[in-house]
Amino acid sequence: MAKRKRRKTAASPKKGKALVQFLRNERVHFIFGVIVAFTGIFILLAIISFLFTGASDQSQVLNRSFWEVIRSNTPEIQNWTGAGGAYLAERLVNEGFGIASAIIPLFLIYMGLRIMKVTRFSFLKALFIGAFSLIGFSIANALILDKIFPSTHVKWGGSHGLQIEHLLNNSVGKPGIVLLLLLIGVVIAVIIRKSSMRKIQETLIQSKPSFAMREEEEAIDLNKKGRMQQAEELDEPSTTAKPRKKGLLHRMASGLKRIVAELKEEEDTESETGTDLPIEETPASGASISGGRSTKPAGETAKTSTPTGPSDDFEVIVPKDEDAVLALHPEEKPTSSGLPHDMEEYDPRKDLSSFRFPTSQLLKVYDTSDKAVDMEEQNENKDKIINTLRNYGIEITSIKATVGPTITLYEIVPEAGVRISRIRNLEDDIALSLSALGIRIIAPMPGKGTVGIEVPNKEPQIVSMHSVITSKRFQECTYELPVALGKTITNEVFIFDLTKMPHLLVSGATGQGKSVGLNAIITSLLFKKHPAEMKLVLIDPKMVEFNIYSAIENHYLAKLPDEEKAIITDVSKVTQTLNSLTKEMDDRYELLMRARTRSIKEYNQKFVQRRLNPNNGHKYMPYIVVVIDEFGDLIMTAGKEIEMPIARIAQKARAVGMHMVIATQRPTTNIITGTIKANFPARMAFRVTSQIDSRTILDMSGANQLIGRGDMLFSQGSNLIRIQCAFVDTPEVERISLDIGKQRGYESAYPLPEVVTEGDSVPGAVDLNDRDVLFEEAARLIVVHQQGSTSLIQRKFSIGYNRAGRLMDQLEAAGIVGATQGSKPREVFIADEYSLEKLLDSLN
């Protein structure tokens, strides 16, 4: 018995789900709507027939119940709808609301059509109109028709109308009843059309005595004359116009004009849109192909193949490429800054006034305009997605495709009751059915009620740097440091402002487009910023990636004064450069404090307007962009000596115009630490090998599902955008660098401040009063191992070679170890720890 009970209780939820699905079925809704509409038609016919046959049927239906009427075998019922219709008509008309009861079946017909989804008229509006009409017509018929035709078989106002009319007549009289009916009529008119309110206002305003209209006309004429006089006064710069006080008539005239204009405008809009059916519009930026037919702007053609099967609801959107802008770098018009006439604004570009920005002719043009959308491929993928989901019991209501340069996004809308997690778990099955690599499911899509499935195209298109640089969006952008990365799935050029990021972390496996992405960032900056407005610090441990930018050393690069090369390739010099950048950051903050400004933009604006004196140390500060390639190699060789200055710059340098772009192949947690990730909110992720690496760089999966060759994900906060990175080849970058390098530049690269370190002095000059915090621990380590080796200190304390060398110099100055002996370890002078403690106590 217990087992049987459990089976019954387990089956009850299934029955409940089946009932809910039955009630949600569209076919059930349609049948129910037909039943309701036919019921309303039946009652309406009964009421109409009652007006003609009700006198002969009253004796059969009065003082009898409904069942008695329909069971009686008397064939004397004359109503068109039989005994049941005669009974309903008698109760609704004479014992209800009179002939106004015809509104009830009309409302039922409307409800049936709405359930059938034939009409979209507002339910609340129909309910209020029906209720007010039912009450108002019932009272009006009792007041008028029952007095005119008192001896008929029809109670024109019904029992309801007669009782309410009698009550109102005793309380407010006939004038009050008329005012109440007018009030109901006004409410109904306003509910039906909003423009009725404007018409009533216009009627009340226009129904004025003739002398009032003449006064308003005179006020309008005076108003016109006053505006003409004000226009003449504005044309004369020497005179000042005084505000005039508006009188009552002037305000009434202007109010009348405004009301009439609004009325005309509303009538025009209602006449245009009142009877039109809703039309689905495709985005203006692209062409829409729906149901096998192609719709494109004039002058464009597309090869389409007529799909079969359920393709009537399938829409393929092909975004259009942005128009290229030929006029690059237009001359900027000077803006007024409130300076005296004998002073001009400071022009930071004056030193290189003849500098010419690189042109788009230096970039290679790839012909991708004649490639049409393969509708056969799109319909095939659509059918495979639908069939795969259907095999697992998932039905969808609609599907739409947006074709990008390398990826096509299919947006599906699942039926009600389908769990999104079920679709997300079918990622591998959809990839298997499509025979494609890099399937990515976005469930749900942010800001949309759809589920996105990204499928790579069989024939991807190249996104050239030329198409990105010459785009209208890039040429007209006003960002401080504009960076054009490539194009999104919708073929839109993706541009961001590096000053708003403010730092960027780039990651990706070898050969996935990471170096091309860095070149795209640098190239877009070179096309937009003057050498006086931006400087680059390039750190390249691989020695070959940034070597092509050596030609622009005297234009865009920054370096230490004693360095021979502006592009830093020696790992031992990276620490000095980063420490120099931190000193540059501190110096800039001091200048901002003295100038009472909060950002480099405000400071430079003050300096350009000559509100800061150069004799007091003020100067125009260019933006500094630090680009570091192979950051993982630097962390492995230099350790915390690299991480700490980078963390300082990332935390504070945004306000003084210093921004960092760091790239690495291995986004592991020991390389991209929590300190770095916290200060690098913007991240670019090319394809990585594992989901763990994707979570390390993006805090979510997805980068492991990319297809490579420039396919990337850009993350800023919670937003994740898939972009095809613009392709810029090495010969293109070289042509740009040579074009800039052959022009006149500065005498040398932008000098960074020098930082004096303790390791630069000789051992005899070491100040033991300023010892390293690891001095005592390093001394104990050397005494315990009886081996004076710099590499031992470096390995045990995970520090860089420079710091370990300074510790060894301090140990030598303290008499713990001897001088260097070539490749042999240093001699240790302290034999045991007891002697070492006595020496350390004496030093303290």
Side-chain angles (χ1 to χ4, degrees):
M1 293 296 292
K3 290 183 179 179
R4 290 180 181 177
K5 288 182 180 179
R6 279 199 294 270
R7 287 178 182 176
K8 288 182 180 180
T9 55
S12 58
K14 293 184 179 179
K15 291 182 180 179
K17 287 184 179 180
L19 179 62
V20 171
Q21 290 180 357
F22 174 77
L23 295 177
R24 288 180 177 177
N25 194 347
E26 188 176 358
R27 187 179 300 174
V28 175
H29 291 178
F30 186 84
I31 295 174
F32 182 71
V34 171
I35 294 173
V36 174
F38 272 66
T39 303
I41 295 173
F42 175 81
I43 297 174
L44 182 62
L45 288 176
I47 293 175
I48 294 174
S49 177
F50 176 79
L51 299 177
F52 304 100
T53 62
S56 59
D57 294 339
Q58 276 187 343
S59 60
Q60 304 293 331
V61 297
L62 288 176
N63 301 323
R64 300 175 70 179
S65 66
F66 179 75
W67 297 108
E68 292 176 353
V69 172
I70 61 176
R71 286 176 181 175
S72 63
N73 296 324
T74 56
E76 300 176 359
I77 299 295
Q78 301 294 325
N79 195 288
W80 302 339
T81 55
Y87 181 85
L88 290 175
E90 175 70 26
R91 296 297 180 269
L92 289 174
V93 177
N94 287 344
E95 298 182 13
F97 297 91
I99 58 174
S101 300
I103 296 174
I104 296 175
L106 291 176
F107 184 77
L108 289 177
I109 295 172
Y110 155 76
M111 285 296 300
L113 295 177
R114 183 172 176 84
I115 295 172
M116 294 163 60
K117 295 182 180 180
V118 176
T119 180
R120 295 183 179 180
F121 191 77
S122 174
F123 171 76
L124 291 178
K125 186 181 287 188
L127 180 64
F128 281 111
I129 292 173
F132 281 107
S133 301
L134 191 66
I135 296 172
F137 280 113
S138 176
I139 298 173
N141 292 332
L143 179 66
I144 300 172
L145 297 181
D146 279 329
K147 300 296 188 295
I148 298 175
F149 307 104
S151 59
T152 59
H153 68 282
V154 180
K155 294 182 181 179
W156 301 99
S159 299
H160 170 270
L162 290 173
Q163 293 178 5
I164 297 298
E165 187 268 341
H166 181 72
L167 179 64
L168 292 174
N169 193 20
N170 293 335
S171 57
V172 296
K174 285 184 169 49
I177 297 176
V178 173
L179 290 177
L180 177 62
L181 294 176
L182 289 176
L183 173 62
I184 294 175
V186 170
V187 172
I188 294 173
V190 172
I191 292 176
I192 292 176
R193 288 190 71 179
K194 188 178 179 181
S195 60
S196 303
M197 180 176 61
R198 305 294 185 189
K199 290 183 179 179
I200 295 172
Q201 291 174 343
E202 182 184 3
T203 304
L204 294 176
I205 291 173
Q206 289 181 352
S207 60
K208 292 183 179 179
S210 59
F211 65 88
M213 296 297 293
R214 285 197 299 270
E215 288 181 357
E216 289 186 3
E217 291 176 359
E218 292 175 359
I220 293 173
D221 293 337
L222 290 174
N223 186 23
K224 290 182 179 179
K225 293 180 181 179
R227 282 184 292 180
M228 292 175 63
Q229 291 177 359
Q230 288 180 359
E232 293 175 357
E233 292 174 357
L234 289 173
D235 292 338
E236 299 176 0
S238 60
T239 59
T240 57
K242 295 182 180 179
R244 300 187 178 185
K245 296 182 179 180
K246 296 183 178 181
L248 177 61
L249 294 178
H250 175 71
R251 291 196 296 270
M252 292 174 64
S254 60
L256 175 62
K257 283 185 176 183
R258 187 173 61 253
I259 291 171
V260 173
E262 291 177 358
L263 180 61
K264 289 182 179 180
E265 181 180 357
E266 185 173 352
E267 287 179 352
D268 293 339
T269 55
E270 289 186 356
S271 63
E272 291 176 1
T273 61
T275 58
D276 292 341
L277 293 176
I279 299 174
E280 293 186 0
E281 297 182 355
T282 56
S285 61
S288 174
I289 305 171
S290 178
R293 292 186 296 271
S294 176
T295 305
K296 281 197 150 191
E300 294 187 11
T301 59
K303 298 179 181 179
T304 61
S305 59
T306 305
T308 59
S311 60
D312 297 333
D313 298 333
F314 182 47
E315 181 182 5
V316 180
I317 298 176
V318 187
K320 184 182 177 183
D321 290 337
E322 295 186 13
D323 296 332
V325 180
L326 297 179
L328 301 179
H329 307 291
E331 295 183 0
E332 297 181 359
K333 297 181 179 180
T335 57
S336 58
S337 58
L339 292 173
H341 295 291
D342 57 344
M343 294 182 62
E344 295 182 355
E345 289 187 351
Y346 172 75
D347 186 8
R349 301 185 178 186
K350 193 172 183 179
D351 293 338
L352 294 182
S353 58
S354 61
F355 179 81
R356 176 178 48 84
F357 285 94
T359 62
S360 59
Q361 298 176 355
L362 302 173
L363 299 172
K364 185 177 180 181
V365 180
Y366 295 88
D367 188 13
T368 58
S369 59
D370 59 344
K371 292 185 178 180
V373 178
D374 189 359
M375 286 300 301
E376 185 178 354
E377 176 188 353
Q378 302 302 327
N379 286 297
E380 183 181 353
N381 290 341
K382 180 258 302 184
D383 294 336
K384 288 180 178 178
I385 291 173
I386 293 176
N387 294 331
T388 303
L389 295 176
R390 189 172 292 164
N391 292 337
Y392 291 92
I394 299 174
E395 296 291 338
I396 61 176
T397 58
S398 66
I399 181 170
K400 181 179 71 172
T402 304
V403 183
T406 57
I407 301 295
T408 298
L409 174 64
Y410 294 89
E411 296 182 55
I412 63 174
V413 179
E415 284 191 347
V418 177
R419 293 181 178 271
I420 296 179
S421 58
R422 292 180 60 192
I423 302 177
R424 192 185 295 114
N425 294 333
L426 296 177
E427 192 170 28
D428 296 334
D429 300 281
I430 296 175
L432 178 64
S433 65
L434 294 175
S435 302
L437 178 66
I439 298 294
R440 181 168 167 263
I441 295 181
I442 310 170
M445 293 194 67
K448 298 182 180 181
T450 60
V451 176
I453 302 176
E454 295 178 346
V455 181
N457 297 335
K458 292 182 179 178
E459 296 183 1
Q461 296 182 6
I462 296 177
V463 177
S464 64
M465 197 69 192
H466 181 274
S467 63
V468 174
I469 292 295
T470 57
S471 64
K472 185 177 180 181
R473 177 175 295 184
F474 181 76
Q475 291 299 323
E476 295 182 355
C477 74
T478 57
Y479 294 157
E480 295 296 325
L481 292 176
V483 176
L485 280 184
K487 292 186 179 181
T488 62
I489 293 178
T490 58
N491 246 1
E492 296 179 355
V493 176
F494 183 79
I495 304 173
F496 66 89
D497 190 356
L498 187 58
T499 60
K500 298 294 191 299
M501 294 299 106
H503 309 288
L504 183 62
L505 188 60
V506 184
S507 178
T510 304
Q512 304 303 323
K514 183 171 74 309
S515 298
V516 176
L518 294 179
N519 287 330
I521 293 173
I522 298 174
T523 302
S524 57
L525 292 174
L526 295 179
F527 268 88
K528 268 291 188 179
K529 303 305 292 183
H530 192 272
E533 300 170 345
M534 182 198 68
K535 299 297 177 182
L536 296 171
V537 177
L538 303 180
I539 300 175
D540 182 19
K542 286 199 296 188
M543 304 183 186
V544 293
E545 290 295 337
F546 297 150
N547 191 34
I548 52 179
Y549 296 105
S550 58
I552 62 173
E553 176 179 343
N554 294 342
H555 297 81
Y556 284 101
L557 300 186
K559 68 174 185 178
L560 293 172
D562 56 346
E563 293 294 333
E564 296 181 1
K565 298 180 181 179
I567 299 173
I568 305 165
T569 57
D570 189 359
V571 178
S572 62
K573 297 179 181 178
V574 174
T575 306
Q576 301 178 16
T577 304
L578 293 176
N579 290 330
S580 177
L581 289 171
T582 57
K583 189 175 188 306
E584 173 75 12
M585 176 185 68
D586 295 335
D587 294 343
R588 289 190 171 196
Y589 267 113
E590 186 177 354
L591 291 177
L592 260 65
M593 179 188 65
R594 288 160 52 188
R596 295 182 177 86
T597 55
R598 299 180 60 185
S599 65
I600 185 175
K601 188 175 181 181
E602 297 176 4
Y603 178 89
N604 285 339
Q605 186 176 3
K606 273 190 173 184
F607 190 84
V608 166
Q609 296 175 357
R610 299 188 183 276
R611 295 163 60 187
L612 300 175
N613 191 352
N615 297 327
N616 296 333
H618 293 289
K619 60 181 180 180
Y620 185 87
M621 294 190 295
Y623 287 96
I624 297 179
V625 180
V626 184
V627 184
I628 303 177
D629 195 10
E630 297 299 337
F631 179 68
D633 183 62
L634 296 180
I635 289 292
M636 293 173 63
T637 54
K640 294 185 178 179
E641 291 189 5
I642 294 290
E643 184 179 351
M644 294 309 295
I646 287 178
R648 283 201 63 204
I649 295 172
Q651 288 171 354
K652 295 177 56 179
R654 173 182 183 177
V656 292
M658 298 172 63
H659 307 277
M660 302 193 72
V661 179
I662 293 179
T664 180
Q665 289 185 3
R666 301 173 60 250
T668 54
T669 52
N670 60 339
I671 293 176
I672 302 178
T673 59
T675 306
I676 295 176
K677 287 183 65 175
N679 296 288
F680 283 76
R683 296 154 194 181
M684 284 170 52
F686 293 88
R687 186 185 181 187
V688 293
T689 55
S690 65
Q691 187 176 359
I692 298 175
D693 292 344
S694 177
R695 292 187 180 277
T696 303
I697 182 70
L698 295 175
D699 295 330
M700 63 183 72
S701 61
N704 57 312
Q705 299 168 325
L706 301 176
I707 61 175
R709 300 187 63 184
D711 190 18
M712 56 172 284
L713 292 173
F714 183 86
S715 170
Q716 186 184 8
S718 59
N719 296 329
L720 197 65
I721 304 172
R722 191 165 185 174
I723 304 168
Q724 178 62 36
C725 184
F727 178 69
V728 52
D729 205 358
T730 303
E732 300 177 63
V733 179
E734 190 173 3
R735 285 196 296 268
I736 295 171
S737 300
L738 293 177
D739 182 73
I740 297 174
K742 69 182 180 181
Q743 302 183 51
R744 186 176 68 89
Y746 297 101
E747 295 181 357
S748 62
Y750 184 80
L752 296 176
E754 291 187 85
V755 179
V756 179
T757 59
E758 297 174 359
D760 295 338
S761 58
V762 296
V766 173
D767 185 10
L768 293 178
N769 293 325
D770 189 13
R771 298 188 299 273
D772 194 287
V773 294
L774 297 177
F775 175 78
E776 295 185 2
E777 296 182 14
R780 294 188 182 94
L781 178 68
I782 294 297
V783 171
V784 168
H785 288 81
Q786 288 294 309
Q787 181 182 359
S789 174
T790 305
S791 61
L792 176 64
I793 298 177
Q794 183 181 1
R795 186 172 62 254
K796 291 296 183 180
F797 295 108
S798 299
I799 60 176
Y801 181 80
N802 293 337
R803 188 177 181 184
R806 288 194 298 272
L807 277 170
M808 190 59 70
D809 293 337
Q810 292 175 5
L811 293 173
E812 181 182 355
I816 299 175
V817 296
T820 58
Q821 300 178 2
S823 60
K824 296 180 180 180
R826 294 172 183 252
E827 184 181 357
V828 182
F829 296 148
I830 305 299
D832 52 14
E833 292 188 35
Y834 178 75
S835 303
L836 176 63
E837 294 298 331
K838 292 177 63 178
L839 178 60
L840 294 177
D841 291 340
S842 64
L843 291 176
N844 293 330

